[in-house]
Amino acid sequence: MVGIGISTTTGIATVVKNWLATDFPDRVSLRYLSTQRAAVPGAYFAKFVDGCFAFARLVFMFLGRLILLKGRWDVMHVHQSSWMSFWRKQPIWHFGALCARRRVVHLHGSEFKDFYASTSGLRRRLIQRFFERSDANFVLSKEWAEWVEGICRRPTRIDIVYNAALRQKMPDRRGRPTVTFALMGRMGERKGVFDLLEAFKKMAGNYPSARLILAGDGEVEKVRSLVAAAGLEDKVEVPGWVSGADAESVFERADVYCLPSYNEGLPGSILEAMAVGLPVISTPVGGILEAVQHESNGLIVEPGDIAALADGLVRLAADVELREAMGEASYALFEKKFDLDAIVEQVVGIYETLFHSAA
């Protein structure tokens, strides 16, 4: 399996760590090859060096298998993002045709459509062939499946493999003196953090009990400065990146989860919110509509529509019964579609199908 270092705070790392928390490692003989040690914006030379070392490690690992007469790996599973991440993994993917019987591409990059649109000619054809020549392409939603199918010139196998989360116990949120909205992710424009803060400013004056938690890495200091400039330090928390028990605490304290993103794959944070029974306010981008059903387990607003976002905050702040009903719907939908054990079972089943077809 190939991907970014699992110690990073990326979506791919979260997916892999979730799988490793199940019986997945007991059911497959797994070697994980990290192509990037740290998720740092920029640092292109360091990432290039990481990619070169990863390719060298792969070659030596394969030579070791040949010396021990173990032959090729059964499956190479490549977790794929966009931009430089795509090109950095190309040598590994091409070498996979030699060292593995089957190759699986797992598309995560929320900006992959923008990346593809920025290319032309040979580079665009290389991207198309990347999907066409893979033995299976894992995508995060029906919308992404249709997109991959649309750019390919010949039929290719596409499997919808949802992101998933660990099932949690729903906390009792009744009788709380405050209504807390939360967002967890990279602080910046893409996740709609600034839009959410602006929408919260519009409604906070009329709802003294409203609170907001903005947790994540990225432009943390900029967000804190905006909170201070708006005089909202007593209502808005910006703790920076949280994980483990601290992340669980954010979800436990929250009454509504918000992620007004401009582009996404299928955000793991939304699934984690659903796993604890939170209603969700989000946008119709990427695979979000398969997790958030408007007026059922949450509200959908268009990206950048701050007025509609503020209206959604007001509506859920004012109606505790609606919050509870949507939260219960979130939990039920999570159990039906995004339970981690079911997703792992699906992935192992696909591996077995590919293995038998290669025999």
Side-chain angles (χ1 to χ4, degrees), residues 9-76:
T9 58
T10 62
I12 291 175
T14 299
V15 168
V16 175
K17 284 185 284 190
N18 282 343
W19 288 8
L20 295 178
T22 69
D23 64 351
F24 182 71
D26 300 324
R27 301 180 64 181
V28 299
S29 177
L30 179 68
R31 292 290 300 272
Y32 191 83
L33 179 67
S34 171
T35 59
Q36 184 180 330
R37 291 170 294 175
V40 180
Y44 298 116
F45 180 73
K47 293 176 182 178
F48 172 76
V49 171
D50 282 349
C52 291
F53 275 112
F55 181 73
R57 286 197 301 273
L58 176 64
V59 172
F60 280 109
M61 286 163 58
F62 181 54
L63 290 175
R65 288 184 65 86
L66 294 181
I67 292 171
L68 296 173
L69 303 179
K70 291 185 176 181
R72 296 190 292 171
W73 286 287
D74 295 318
V75 177
M76 173 183 280

Side-chain angles (χ1 to χ4, degrees), residues 35-332:
T35 59
Q36 184 180 330
R37 291 170 294 175
V40 180
Y44 298 116
F45 180 73
K47 293 176 182 178
F48 172 76
V49 171
D50 282 349
C52 291
F53 275 112
F55 181 73
R57 286 197 301 273
L58 176 64
V59 172
F60 280 109
M61 286 163 58
F62 181 54
L63 290 175
R65 288 184 65 86
L66 294 181
I67 292 171
L68 296 173
L69 303 179
K70 291 185 176 181
R72 296 190 292 171
W73 286 287
D74 295 318
V75 177
M76 173 183 280
H77 184 148
V78 180
H79 292 277
Q80 185 63 64
S81 187
S82 52
W83 306 106
M84 285 303 298
S85 171
F86 178 84
W87 301 117
R88 189 169 58 249
K89 290 174 183 170
Q90 284 302 289
I92 291 173
W93 181 80
H94 283 286
F95 188 70
L98 173 66
C99 69
R101 293 183 175 89
R102 291 288 183 261
R103 290 177 294 176
V104 173
V105 167
H106 197 152
L107 181 60
H108 296 267
S110 60
E111 298 181 344
F112 204 93
K113 293 179 187 177
D114 295 336
F115 164 61
Y116 179 77
S118 73
T119 65
S120 60
L122 177 60
R123 290 193 302 162
R124 177 165 292 191
R125 183 61 188 138
L126 286 172
I127 296 172
Q128 293 167 347
R129 288 168 69 88
F130 175 66
F131 293 113
E132 292 169 356
R133 292 191 171 186
S134 295
D135 297 289
N137 293 282
F138 290 0
V139 296
L140 304 183
S141 68
K142 294 177 183 177
E143 191 263 354
W144 278 105
E146 292 170 356
W147 183 82
V148 171
E149 184 178 26
I151 69 168
C152 291
R153 296 183 181 180
R154 67 183 189 186
T156 187
R157 175 170 178 162
I158 302 173
D159 294 276
I160 299 172
V161 177
Y162 293 123
N163 286 343
L166 294 168
R167 186 181 306 180
Q168 306 290 337
K169 182 179 179 181
M170 286 180 60
D172 186 358
R173 300 184 175 92
R174 292 171 295 181
R176 291 180 172 180
T178 60
V179 178
T180 301
F181 301 92
L183 179 152
M184 293 181 64
R186 176 149 292 184
M187 300 291 102
E189 183 178 355
R190 185 176 73 81
K191 293 285 187 181
V193 174
F194 305 129
D195 293 346
L196 178 57
L197 182 56
E198 191 65 29
F200 184 80
K201 284 166 55 179
K202 289 179 177 294
M203 60 85 68
N206 295 324
Y207 289 87
S209 64
R211 300 291 185 270
L212 176 62
I213 303 173
L214 299 172
D217 55 3
E219 298 179 69
V220 177
E221 292 307 319
K222 180 178 179 179
V223 174
R224 287 172 176 163
S225 296
L226 291 172
V227 170
L232 293 173
E233 296 101 318
D234 60 333
K235 292 180 176 292
V236 181
E237 296 179 36
V238 189
W241 178 259
V242 296
S243 60
D246 292 331
E248 292 174 6
S249 175
V250 171
F251 283 119
E252 185 174 338
R253 293 169 56 199
D255 298 287
V256 180
Y257 188 73
C258 304
L259 194 69
S261 297
Y262 284 79
N263 52 48
E264 287 287 357
L266 179 59
S269 65
I270 283 183
L271 305 183
E272 291 171 337
M274 294 170 64
V276 294
L278 286 174
V280 180
I281 301 176
S282 194
T283 51
V285 299
I288 288 176
L289 288 181
E290 294 189 46
V292 184
Q293 300 173 353
H294 186 57
E295 298 291 348
S296 175
N297 68 318
L299 301 173
I300 295 293
V301 300
E302 290 298 321
D305 191 340
I306 295 173
L309 181 56
D311 289 343
L313 298 180
V314 168
R315 186 176 171 195
L316 288 180
D319 194 336
V320 63
E321 292 183 357
L322 180 62
R323 291 201 306 271
E324 290 178 355
M326 286 186 169
E328 291 172 359
S330 271
Y331 194 76

